[in-house]
Amino acid sequence: MSSGAVRIVEQLDPASTVLLTVECQRGVVGPDSALPELADAARNSGALANVARLVAAAHEAGVQVLHAVAERRPDGRGASHNARLFKAAERLPVQQLTGSTAVRIADPIPVSGDDLVVRRLHGLSPIAGTDVDALLRNFGCRTLVVTGVSANVAIPNAVFDAVNLGYTAVVPADAIAGVPSDYTPAMVRNTLALVATVTTTDDLLTSWRRPRRGR
């Protein structure tokens, strides 16, 4: 086991850890994505496959999984309009409409009956203004593992919000993606590493498979 895995083994106790997937939905990272460049980055980098590996391992280890999905009503009620990103999204050929296939969790990520899906109609963060914080507290979460897309916007938002709310944020750097592809490692190195524990998918998998004291 690498030194990085050794440092985070106890931090990642399944009883107090939650795995969050961010916008890993068909309309974002699937083959018919509204954002094909981002979808390609997620798939070609291996990030989407690593998210799937982490979710499967979380199911086996008893780690709670939350899937954060961004969507909008067909009539647009409640949607944010105060940034260029929102206005651009309104013009995309694929819309993340409530109840559509675009907002279903993308393959190959497995979804179990114990997973929770948290949907938001507004904003940039999968945590701020959603049910995520209350759910994490009810689960006894101390450590939040953040995965998914994008490293440009939603992932840093999630990490900052988690830290501000008192959680320890863990980011497997090979299970997040953004555009252009070389932006993600720069974001991890210069920003996320300052506030989160940066690790790898393999180290996380090793941690969850390692027997713990008293078990």
Side-chain angles (χ1 to χ4, degrees), residues 136-151:
L136 294 179
R137 296 188 188 281
N138 288 347
F139 286 128
C141 176
R142 293 196 297 272
T143 301
L144 183 66
V145 180
V146 180
T147 66
V149 296
S150 72

Side-chain angles (χ1 to χ4, degrees), residues 21-81:
T21 76
V22 178
E23 296 182 25
C24 290
Q25 57 205 74
R26 295 185 186 185
V28 175
V29 295
D32 298 319
S33 170
L35 303 163
E37 186 180 1
L38 178 58
D40 287 347
R43 291 182 178 276
N44 295 339
S45 68
L48 188 60
N50 284 333
V51 174
R53 293 172 64 206
L54 287 168
V55 171
H59 291 160
E60 293 182 8
V63 173
Q64 180 64 50
V65 178
L66 296 183
H67 302 283
V69 171
E71 60 182 47
R72 62 183 284 120
R73 288 168 48 109
D75 61 10
R77 282 184 173 274
S80 299
H81 303 283

Side-chain angles (χ1 to χ4, degrees), residues 167-188:
Y167 302 103
T168 296
V170 173
V171 178
D174 55 356
I176 65 172
V179 290
S181 58
D182 59 357
Y183 178 77
T184 299
M187 162 61 77
V188 170

Side-chain angles (χ1 to χ4, degrees), residues 100-148:
S100 71
T101 58
V103 297
R104 295 180 186 173
I105 303 304
D107 293 331
I109 297 171
V111 179
S112 83
D114 291 332
D115 295 359
L116 295 182
V117 179
V118 180
R119 305 180 183 279
R120 77 177 195 275
L121 294 173
H122 62 85
L124 300 170
S125 173
I127 297 179
T130 74
D131 292 335
V132 169
D133 181 39
L135 293 173
L136 294 179
R137 296 188 188 281
N138 288 347
F139 286 128
C141 176
R142 293 196 297 272
T143 301
L144 183 66
V145 180
V146 180
T147 66

Side-chain angles (χ1 to χ4, degrees), residues 2-27:
S2 74
S3 60
V6 172
R7 286 195 301 270
I8 65 171
V9 163
E10 293 309 320
Q11 187 181 72
L12 289 165
D13 183 347
S16 59
T17 299
V18 172
L19 173 64
L20 178 69
T21 76
V22 178
E23 296 182 25
C24 290
Q25 57 205 74
R26 295 185 186 185

